[in-house]
Amino acid sequence: MSITIRHLGKRYGERVALRDVNLEVCDGELVCLLGPSGCGKSTLLNIVAGLLDPSGGDVLIDGESVVRTHPKYRGIGMVFQDYALYPHMSVEENVMFPLRVGEHRVARREALVRARRFMRLTGIEDLARLRPGSLSGGQQQRVAVARALVQEPRVLLLDEPLSNLDARLRLSIREEIRRIVKATRVTTVFVTHDQEEALSIGDRIAVMDRGVIQQFAAPQDLYLDP
Ligand code: ADP
Ligand code: ADP
C-alpha cells in the first residue's frame, strides 16, 4: 500500500504546525521522518492515523483519500512513544486485544493463533503470561510492535518508538524493527529526532524543520549538517 500526502497543512490556532507537506511512501517502504522536537512530526503522523484532522490537504492510501475515514477503517497500526500497553492484561492479551474488539472481531482461538505468530516474529513468545509492568523497556516495545501488527495493517506508524530505551538496546531493536517491517512488507513511517537512527534504518528519509519537509531522499543522497 502506498501513502500519498498532498499539500497537507495544520494549524493549532495561530501556530502553523505543518505547511504544504507533500510526501509519497511506496508500498513496503520504510520512510523515516527526521527532525527536531516541535517540527511537526507527531502532528503529521497523527493526521495520517486519523487521530487529528488536517487544516487542509489530503492523505491517500493506495490512491484513495482517507481524511474523512474513521481511524478504525484506515488499516493502520501504530506504536506510540510510551507503548500504551494495557497494564492489567498479560502480554498475550495485549497482542490479541485488537482482534477481540469491534465488528470484525475474531474468535478467541483464532485470535490466539494470530497473536502467537506475531509474538514469535517479535521474539516475545516466552513472555505471554506476564504483565507489561514486569517487562523491560525493550520487551514492552516488542509487545507494542506485535500488537500493532496483529491486524495485518496496510500501514505501520511508529512515533519515536525507541526514545525510551537505553543506547545499546536502541541499536539492536532498530535493526529488528527493520527486519520485521521487511518480513511483513508493511508500508512504514518511523518518526525520530535521531539522525543516525534515521540513516541506519530508513529506505528514504524525510527531513523536517518547522512544519516543512526540506529534503526527501535515500540516506546516501541527503545533505546533512555535520
Ligand atoms: P514533533 O512531533 O516534531 O515534536 P509536534 O507535531 O508535536 O512536533 O508539534 C509541532 C508544533 O505544533 C509544535 O510547535 C507544538 O508545540 C505545536 N503543537 C502540537 N500539538 C499542539 C496542540 N495540541 N495545541 C497547540 N500546539 C500544538
Ligand atoms: P512530542 O514527543 O511529539 O514532542 P510533545 O511533548 O511536544 O510531544 O507533546 C505532547 C502532547 O502535547 C501532544 O499531544 C501534543 O499535541 C501536545 N502539545 C504539544 N505542544 C503543545 C502546545 N503548544 N499546546 C498544547 N498542546 C501541545
Side-chain angles (χ1 to χ4, degrees):
M1 295 284 161
S2 64
I3 310 169
T4 309
I5 292 164
R6 278 195 196 143
H7 304 299
L8 205 64
K10 177 66 184 178
R11 318 171 144 265
Y12 297 102
E14 294 290 289
R15 171 174 280 143
V16 178
L18 297 177
R19 198 188 298 272
D20 195 27
V21 168
N22 294 280
L23 205 61
E24 170 99 35
V25 184
C26 303
D27 187 30
E29 190 178 22
L30 197 174
V31 164
C32 286
L33 211 51
L34 170 68
S37 181
C39 75
K41 305 182 297 297
S42 297
T43 297
L44 180 52
L45 214 60
N46 287 335
I47 291 172
V48 174
L51 304 175
L52 195 62
D53 286 328
S55 307
D58 209 352
V59 176
L60 302 93
I61 295 182
D62 255 10
E64 258 184 73
S65 176
V66 294
V67 293
R68 267 161 212 87
T69 310
H70 191 276
K72 274 195 295 201
Y73 305 110
R74 293 189 185 194
I76 284 174
M78 194 154 176
V79 176
F80 298 93
Q81 196 169 348
D82 63 0
Y83 316 134
L85 300 175
Y86 307 114
H88 58 292
M89 295 181 190
S90 69
V91 163
E92 190 169 78
E93 287 163 345
N94 263 278
V95 177
M96 283 168 66
F97 185 77
L99 300 172
R100 297 286 292 153
V101 293
E103 63 209 81
H104 298 296
R105 65 207 298 269
V106 304
R108 188 176 168 81
R109 180 181 292 266
E110 163 75 13
L112 200 56
V113 169
R114 288 208 229 164
R116 288 195 174 139
R117 182 145 60 87
F118 287 95
M119 288 167 60
R120 266 197 305 280
L121 183 72
T122 52
I124 54 168
E125 64 269 58
D126 295 340
L127 309 175
R129 310 254 172 252
L130 301 178
R131 302 252 167 131
S134 62
L135 305 181
S136 70
Q139 290 169 333
Q140 290 185 37
Q141 214 273 341
R142 288 161 206 252
V143 178
V145 171
R147 188 182 59 182
L149 289 171
V150 76
Q151 285 180 297
E152 302 183 36
R154 308 185 287 171
V155 168
L156 178 65
L157 305 176
L158 303 142
D159 194 354
E160 305 253 8
L162 309 181
S163 58
N164 291 325
L165 304 178
D166 67 52
R168 268 182 55 210
L169 208 51
R170 290 178 75 128
L171 286 180
S172 61
I173 295 219
R174 74 191 193 195
E175 296 304 323
E176 202 159 313
I177 286 182
R178 188 172 162 87
R179 175 184 64 76
I180 291 165
V181 164
K182 293 301 166 184
T184 55
R185 301 203 194 105
V186 65
T187 305
T188 301
V189 181
F190 181 108
V191 164
T192 180
H193 60 267
D194 183 328
Q195 181 172 305
E196 207 251 320
E197 190 165 287
L199 291 172
S200 75
I201 72 163
D203 294 318
R204 284 191 292 173
I205 295 157
V207 182
M208 276 188 88
D209 189 31
R210 279 165 282 181
V212 174
I213 304 244
Q214 297 183 315
Q215 299 182 62
F216 184 37
Q220 66 274 15
D221 298 328
L222 286 176
Y223 295 95
L224 294 168
D225 293 332

